[in-house]
Amino acid sequence: MIFDSILNRAPLSPVRLNPDLPPKLEDVINKALEKDRNLRYQNAADIRTDLQRLKRDTESARTAATSGMSEPSKSPDRTIPAESCFDWGSLH
């Protein structure tokens, strides 16, 4: 039963487990869990590269948002930064 689920069923969407998960991090997780071996990461260096890119993009977006803030937004930002969802220190 467990093996059948692993091999034949789609995994639960990461965003259903954590609605605040950044969409790009969800993409990385989904690619890592891809059933078709030709579509998933071929080696650890590939996933590391995508995670480092996500970290860089998240940090630069936050820096741009912080430096460009002139007035508070009307609706609160409910997203959690990617670095809060992942231990980025392990990528160095």
Side-chain angles (χ1 to χ4, degrees):
M1 179 81 161
I2 292 174
F3 290 117
D4 180 60
S5 294
I6 292 170
L7 296 173
N8 300 312
R9 295 186 187 162
L12 186 61
S13 170
V15 89
R16 286 192 60 201
L17 297 172
N18 181 353
D20 297 321
L21 196 70
K24 289 186 179 184
L25 182 55
E26 182 180 28
D27 292 344
V28 170
I29 294 168
N30 286 334
K31 185 173 179 178
L33 296 174
E34 175 62 50
K35 301 288 184 203
D36 183 339
R37 72 178 66 191
N38 295 318
L39 298 177
R40 70 178 168 249
Y41 289 105
Q42 298 302 303
N43 55 58
D46 293 343
I47 193 168
R48 180 176 187 226
T49 299
D50 279 355
L51 290 171
Q52 287 175 326
R53 185 177 295 117
L54 175 61
K55 179 184 178 191
R56 180 200 63 206
D57 294 348
T58 300
E59 288 173 348
S60 63
R62 187 176 12 159
T63 301
T66 303
S67 64
M69 290 177 64
S70 57
E71 62 183 69
S73 71
K74 294 181 181 180
S75 62
D77 181 14
R78 300 188 58 112
T79 60
I80 293 177
E83 62 273 3
S84 300
C85 302
F86 188 78
D87 178 16
W88 297 107
S90 63
L91 295 176
H92 297 285

